[in-house]
Amino acid sequence: MMNKTSIPVPELPRCMPEEQGIQSSAISAFLTRIKESQLALHSFMLLRHGHVVAEGWWAPYSPERKHMLFSLSKSFTATAIGLAAAEQLLSLEDKVISFFPEETPGNPGPRLAAMNIRHLLMMGTGHTSDTMEEMMKEADGNWVRAFLQLPVDREPGSHFLYNTGATYMLSAILQQVTGQTLLDFLHPRLFSPLGIINPVWDYCPRGINTGGFGLSITTEDIARFGQLYLQKGMWNGRQLLPQEWVAEASSLQIENGDGKPDSGDWSQGYGYQFWRCRHGLYRGDGAFGQFCIIMPEQDAVVAITSGTQQMQEVMNAVWELLPAFNDTQAELEQQPDAAARLADQLRTLAITPPVIRSFSAWESAVNGQTYQLESNGLQIDSLAIAFGDNEARVTLHDQHGGCQELILGRGAWASSQVRLMPGPAAPDAIMSSFTWTTEDMLQLTLLMVEQPFIFTLEITFSEQSLTLTQSANVGMGEQEPVTIKGRILA
């Protein structure tokens, strides 16, 4: 098997913003807006005329790290369908049930029977609620069968509903047709030509890539994908993706709102797993601010990763950049002071570890103690804390006998590999710090540098016990803090 990391990947060309018709001061204003609005970006890359004119990572995020894309994954899944259609492996008019005779109900209703691949792509399946939650409950892990058994209440193609289960079905159809996973199918056709190395994609219990979520790649990888669409499928002189597909996927296929310019960017219509935007733009996006924004009129691409609930505000900040794009190919006059200020801003982007009180007298009292925790959803059975001069080590024992160690810097980030979420997946890359908020309250900040999540653990100590409260920066729906009590293990 070919080593996918053996071929060196050329970077996208870099240059000053003015060389591509953008003032450095406009990008500085964007970064200031992001900071003042506390929009919690993790990375930002701006391309114009195929050149990276600005890029930055909020430390400890960094360029080489992959970042979980959530629903931005959907745009890659749709691209795979476009490639498969170009190879005549399938047609957008093919009926969904035709691929899965064994999972299809004995008497499929007329709406299910009418549903085709195009309906899956445009989020027009006829369902009235997202199917994904019910699919994931299927006891034997057969998500395809679960999807096909759910009621289809509207005529396919007549009604928009954002439906992650529909994107999973695209992945399942592709695997059924090709005998390859979505990830393997895309390697020679998309990822390798674009220089996207070792992408990671989650899969369902039956080994089908999840399609609608679960892809992790770098910020520059997102930018390359956007540039491919901006160039109408052309890459390094080769037509990777049919130009007709790019036009179709990026254009309005189904209405999802009133379409008025001032009604926000989730009501401008939907293509094939791409959202239409105001100002004639389009985008792929994922929960908590993962963006690939394509700007055809400006010949520009914006790639962003984040950990925010304010996705519309992030887009609003990007739209404020639009007047700065010079509509000619001419270079702008260099402004050395503005360029220096922008370079300094980009160099010093950071998420600063909280520092309230560096030390507490409680450190000596709890140092090395093990605390037995009450039964909890985090599945932590006990924890022990040991303090050093510049770091703390928290040892976590789970309810199945497993043991993990979390390293935290004293007012600084320290690196660990710990699995925070229950389940069998590999450990997460975490940067952690600690501070004392009061004499008896220890605050741990756990930043998952390949995901949007930051967990805050506040531990209040008393003579023989502790109270631990965990909260997160973002989450699906209302996120109530989790409180757990524990006592010193005799």
Side-chain angles (χ1 to χ4, degrees):
M1 181 180 293
M2 183 182 70
N3 183 351
K4 296 168 186 161
T5 63
S6 61
I7 302 172
V9 179
E11 285 192 334
L12 294 169
R14 267 73 174 170
C15 68
M16 296 296 294
E18 283 79 8
E19 294 177 58
Q20 304 302 329
I22 307 174
Q23 293 283 6
S24 293
S25 57
I27 303 172
S28 284
F30 167 80
L31 294 172
T32 299
R33 163 88 149 87
I34 293 296
K35 182 178 181 179
E36 290 177 348
S37 300
Q38 299 181 334
L39 291 179
L41 264 60
H42 297 163
S43 69
F44 161 73
M45 185 175 283
L46 171 61
L47 278 65
R48 183 105 199 270
H49 306 324
H51 292 72
V52 178
V53 298
E55 59 187 318
W57 284 259
W58 279 255
Y61 296 92
S62 55
E64 74 281 358
R65 286 194 182 275
K66 296 177 176 64
H67 198 286
M68 185 176 286
L69 300 192
F70 288 85
S71 286
L72 178 49
S73 309
K74 291 178 169 70
S75 302
F76 289 81
T77 301
T79 301
I81 296 297
L83 290 165
E87 295 178 28
Q88 299 184 337
L89 299 173
L90 50 78
S91 162
L92 302 195
E93 309 308 320
D94 289 343
K95 304 304 181 189
V96 173
I97 63 173
S98 70
F99 298 99
F100 307 106
E102 295 183 3
E103 279 80 19
T104 299
N107 294 300
R111 294 179 183 132
L112 176 60
M115 190 190 304
N116 61 27
I117 290 177
R118 190 183 307 276
H119 297 136
L120 298 176
L121 285 165
M122 68 196 294
M123 296 296 188
T125 59
H127 293 99
T128 53
S129 61
D130 191 343
T131 56
M132 197 72 243
E133 184 176 352
E134 291 301 316
M135 291 162 62
M136 294 177 77
K137 292 178 182 176
E138 189 73 4
D140 65 355
N142 191 333
W143 292 6
V144 168
R145 185 178 63 204
F147 178 92
L148 296 175
Q149 289 177 341
L150 291 170
V152 182
D153 298 318
R154 309 279 284 270
E155 191 67 28
S158 68
H159 167 72
F160 173 84
L161 176 85
Y162 196 66
N163 186 354
T164 297
T167 318
Y168 169 80
M169 291 299 290
L170 294 171
S171 177
I173 288 170
L174 187 78
Q175 186 160 327
Q176 188 75 357
V177 168
T178 67
Q180 294 180 291
T181 65
L182 172 61
L183 185 62
D184 287 342
F185 179 82
L186 283 176
H187 265 304
R189 295 167 174 85
L190 180 74
F191 293 136
S192 292
L194 292 188
I196 297 175
I197 301 301
N198 291 342
V200 177
W201 209 319
D202 293 346
Y203 46 85
C204 78
R206 298 204 164 199
I208 300 169
N209 290 131
T210 48
F213 59 95
L215 177 61
S216 293
I217 56 177
T218 69
T219 307
E220 183 160 336
D221 294 340
I222 298 170
R224 290 168 182 268
F225 179 70
Q227 188 67 28
L228 173 70
Y229 268 82
L230 184 66
Q231 294 171 177
K232 300 179 180 179
M234 182 71 71
W235 191 262
N236 288 341
R238 177 183 166 200
Q239 195 73 42
L240 290 186
L241 192 59
Q243 185 171 332
E244 299 76 17
W245 168 265
V246 173
E248 199 171 336
S250 62
S251 62
L252 189 150
Q253 296 294 333
I254 190 168
E255 298 282 358
N256 66 345
D258 57 22
K260 294 179 180 178
D262 60 352
S263 62
D265 288 290
W266 275 274
S267 64
Q268 305 301 313
Y270 198 75
Y272 292 157
Q273 311 283 295
F274 284 96
W275 297 88
R276 294 294 307 170
C277 306
R278 291 174 291 174
H279 313 293
L281 318 178
Y282 67 99
R283 73 186 190 278
D285 75 30
F288 317 124
Q290 324 316 315
F291 289 105
C292 180
I293 301 172
I294 297 105
M295 305 175 169
E297 291 184 16
Q298 293 78 17
D299 194 25
V301 171
V302 174
I304 287 173
T305 62
S306 326
T308 181
Q309 301 279 22
Q310 301 183 70
M311 292 176 65
Q312 182 62 67
E313 278 301 300
V314 174
M315 285 188 280
N316 290 345
V318 173
W319 306 159
E320 290 172 13
L321 266 173
L322 293 176
F325 288 90
N326 182 10
D327 61 3
T328 73
Q329 291 282 345
E331 290 188 31
L332 299 177
E333 183 180 349
Q334 295 287 336
Q335 300 291 330
D337 290 347
R341 179 170 183 253
L342 175 59
D344 185 63
Q345 280 179 294
L346 292 169
R347 186 174 57 252
T348 58
L349 295 173
I351 298 174
T352 306
V355 180
I356 301 172
R357 298 165 62 109
S358 295
F359 293 91
S360 165
W362 272 93
E363 288 190 22
S364 59
V366 304
N367 191 52
Q369 297 282 10
T370 298
Y371 291 83
Q372 182 74 46
L373 303 183
E374 63 188 10
S375 179
N376 60 82
L378 304 180
Q379 300 184 14
I380 302 173
D381 185 60
S382 65
L383 65 82
I385 306 176
F387 292 95
D389 291 339
N390 297 311
E391 68 178 29
R393 292 176 179 259
V394 177
T395 304
L396 304 170
H397 294 270
D398 64 36
Q399 296 169 357
H400 306 289
C403 177
Q404 302 186 92
E405 185 176 68
L406 182 66
I407 304 170
L408 306 101
R410 190 183 295 274
W413 298 118
S415 177
S416 301
Q417 293 281 332
V418 174
R419 183 63 188 166
L420 291 183
M421 310 287 193
D428 297 302
I430 299 175
M431 301 296 285
S432 307
S433 72
F434 75 95
T435 187
W436 291 87
T437 58
T438 63
E439 184 67 20
D440 62 351
M441 181 182 285
L442 177 66
Q443 179 178 298
L444 314 181
T445 302
L446 315 181
L447 191 155
M448 302 178 74
V449 286
E450 295 176 348
Q451 300 184 32
F453 304 109
I454 300 175
F455 293 101
T456 301
L457 279 63
E458 294 181 335
I459 305 175
T460 304
F461 295 97
S462 56
E463 189 172 341
Q464 294 292 319
S465 63
L466 61 73
T467 301
L468 182 154
T469 301
Q470 177 188 276
S471 57
N473 60 328
V474 294
M476 300 293 187
E478 292 294 327
Q479 297 293 305
E480 293 295 329
V482 175
T483 299
I484 305 167
K485 295 185 179 299
R487 296 191 64 81
I488 291 178
L489 193 62

